[in-house]
Amino acid sequence: FSVVSPWPEDAARRWLAHFRYRGRPGFQAVICRRGRLIGTLYMGAAPGGGPATCAWFLDPAHWGQGYVAEAAHAFLADTMDRFGIATLWADHFADNPASGRVMEKLGFVRTGTGTGTSAARLEPAPIVVYRLDRANLKGRP
């Protein structure tokens, strides 16, 4: 699956159906504004029972307005408690420092670097890796 912005409705429906809630990590929640889908939040379990991961996407037209930080705080608090997740991992591409600032605002701690891939990129690219312990989740109560 790939993400384009703005999402055509049929593509958004396919994406969300693929990642629908099934009672365990591996699902998406949506971020809507005025009834319109503007982004998603993802909670996933690493292959082989490894640490849980999270990610998000937001339409660039809505960047810098605090929507991801607000939605991610509520989403992470709920899902970490619901599934007994003590630690989450996340990353962002090094050329997207705004995502790192959101992660740090939420209480994530930078742990290292690596290389990542994305359907939206032609080649692997440098990433920055973060960890969040449930006790350190910050943001809106």
Side-chain angles (χ1 to χ4, degrees):
F1 288 93
S2 63
V3 176
V4 296
S5 178
W7 269 349
E9 185 174 339
D10 61 329
R13 287 183 188 279
R14 282 193 310 274
W15 174 276
L16 294 170
H18 180 76
F19 290 107
R20 74 181 181 276
Y21 182 75
R22 294 180 177 95
R24 64 185 184 280
F27 64 92
Q28 298 265 352
V30 298
I31 303 171
C32 291
R33 183 164 188 268
R34 297 187 178 149
R36 184 171 164 257
L37 175 72
I38 63 168
T40 67
L41 300 154
Y42 172 75
M43 174 65 65
T53 61
C54 68
W56 48 75
F57 163 79
L58 188 69
D59 181 330
H62 299 279
W63 288 357
Q65 299 177 51
Y67 297 135
V68 168
E70 182 176 353
H73 178 269
F75 179 75
L76 296 177
D78 177 70
T79 55
M80 291 180 87
D81 289 347
R82 180 182 308 212
F83 299 110
I85 297 169
T87 301
L88 273 176
W89 294 88
D91 61 60
H92 68 83
F93 285 102
D95 61 1
N96 181 12
S99 283
R101 287 190 295 277
V102 171
M103 289 179 194
E104 290 170 356
K105 182 177 182 177
L106 291 168
F108 283 82
V109 176
R110 183 179 170 156
T111 63
T113 59
T115 303
T117 59
S118 167
R121 293 178 180 251
L122 297 175
E123 300 288 333
I127 60 170
V128 182
V129 181
Y130 291 79
R131 171 188 168 130
L132 174 68
D133 294 323
R134 176 60 181 102
N136 296 330
L137 179 62
K138 299 177 191 172
R140 297 179 183 244

